[in-house]
Amino acid sequence: GLIIALGSVVDDAIIGVENIMRRLRENTNSRNPESKFQVVLKATFEVRSAVVYGSLIVVLVVFPVFFLDGLVGAFFAPLALSYVLAIGASLFVALTMTPALSLILLPNVAKAGMKESLIVRLIQWVYGKMLPIFVRFPKLAIFIIASSFGITLLLTPLLGEEFLPKFKEYDFLMHWVEKPGTSLEAMVRITKRVSKELLSIPGVRNFGSHIGRAEVADEVVGPNFTELWISLDPKVDYDSTVEKVQEVVDGYPGLYRDLLTYLRERIKEVLTGSSATIVVRIYGEDLGKLQSKAAEVADVISPIAGVADLKVQPQVLVPQVEVRFKKEAGTLFGMTPGNVRSAATTLMQGTKVGEIYHDQRVDDVVVRGVPRLQQNVSALRSMMIETPSGGYIPFGQVAHVTINPTPNQITREAASRRIDVTCNVKGRDLGSVAREIETAVRDLNFDRGYYPEFLGEFAARQEAKNKLIEWSILVLLGIFLILHAHFDSTRLALLIFFTLPFALIGGVISVFLNDGVLSLGSQIGFITVLGIAVRNAIMLISHYRHLEIEEGVQFGMDLILRGAKERLSPILMTALTTGFALLPIVITGLQPGQEIEHPLAVVILGGLVTSTLLNLVFLPALYLKFGPYQKAQENKITDSPAFENPKKADQMA
């Protein structure tokens, strides 16, 4: 949040200091100079309104982020809060400390006869030669803006989408899932073997694992489920080391496996309860139909490019002892279903009968059948159990004891059975793969009562996107009302409102040239670009109106050229200081810790180019064509004798 606020924070300082410096220089060269305090005060009041309204628009743009919930809200809300607080603090400093420090430090700098630096004069000379071409031919500016919009609209569908970037963490978590029914001994043997291979890789610092689950655990899994943990040394080459780890993992075919950083695995678990990126959850009542439909869904998904680690939730039949009460035995021996259930539980699983307290530990005392009863059904049938009358009878006389095939796992949600088809994405962006999967699955025929649901990172991204679009409608209305309140002109408000999207075109093009994927960081970068563009646009047009109303400059070519020339330095300084601050992040690339900042910096740099062109080239040309809001009123104000009386001019303003 502090990083993306950098552009607006710098802009606040530049706007105030540059305007005060220019007014001090003009006052020094004036025949009737005012006091330096009055000059600084007037220069601050001159830009105060534009800075305040520009900051309000920037805050309004990020306002919808506070209404995002879930995982998206957890990532975005603190970022938006930091951004808003930084903008508020910057605005406070710009309106209080900046003028005070300027009064202390700048008057001695603005000496009589002082000119702009050689570089500034050179830039102004080039700018003065180029700007009249666009100002005289505003249709050229309109054509360039329209054609740029057209090109951007063609590029946008080609951009990929990601929910979150791939964080380059040094801690990895791998899931190893064998077929249900695999023994604990077999999983321990495989885990020990892979641990030796992983620890032999240079850069792997340590290894850990857990198999199955504890008695009290957050995941309900069997002994066929294993999680492997490894940690890499930050000093080794990240990408090459991860490739070597992936080779070892891929060397164990026949079981489901993945390699995820810890944060990414946690994010996926929070979104869907699964470690996969995309989840197709199929609902229905009949388990057999669910399994066949899941296999059908997997068949249509597997040919899609970018699909990796495709997996159907394993629901296989495993042998299970089934005990059913004999009703006739109840009448004959006085037994009840509860008696039989209690006896079966004690013999097969064990029953807690007490606790032992020793050395601050609590150990359960459990009575259970001998081990051979759990492996031999005949032995269980012949096991003698006590009747309510005090006698003993074989267990098989009061219950049918059989071994039947039973699903290893039955999952339910929303009062319905479900089965998951999951996959990850490799080699392509998340958005394009997820859309192809949705299209392929929706083309399948589902019986009544059976339907698919699409979950995962892309679904969370689309949900957040839809909510942002809903709130953005109100935000756009609010931006227009703020612009209208500032300029008191519908025409000027519409002029800025419809040209601001041009400032974002550079960000879109930079994303396309970089990696072609819109991630979390790149999308937030557009906020900074929009904030800088709208503030500079408000400052430029406000300066035009100040020259026209306060200083009596006639509306026309001279007004446009003078106003743009005077706003040239602050606009360029804002773009250059912001760009130079972010340049190291762009040059170093996607290093660990820069997964969000790098795409953000790329978008801001590209957006700075188009926002600068908008405010320095196209907006002056469009203002000359559409700026006069009431020509009769303009002539009346311009010809008014109020301009001969400064106090009366202040009252009119």
Side-chain angles (χ1 to χ4, degrees), residues 563-579:
K565 186 177 179 181
E566 292 177 351
R567 291 300 305 160
L568 173 64
S569 293
I571 291 176
L572 287 180
M573 279 193 290
T574 298
L576 290 175
T577 51
T578 306

Side-chain angles (χ1 to χ4, degrees), residues 5 16 64 76 95 140 329 340 420 462 490 609-610 627:
F76 275 90
L95 298 180
L140 177 61
V340 175
D420 290 345
Q462 291 299 101
T490 303
V609 176
T610 48

Side-chain angles (χ1 to χ4, degrees), residues 130 488 559 599:
M130 178 189 65
D488 194 21
L559 172 71

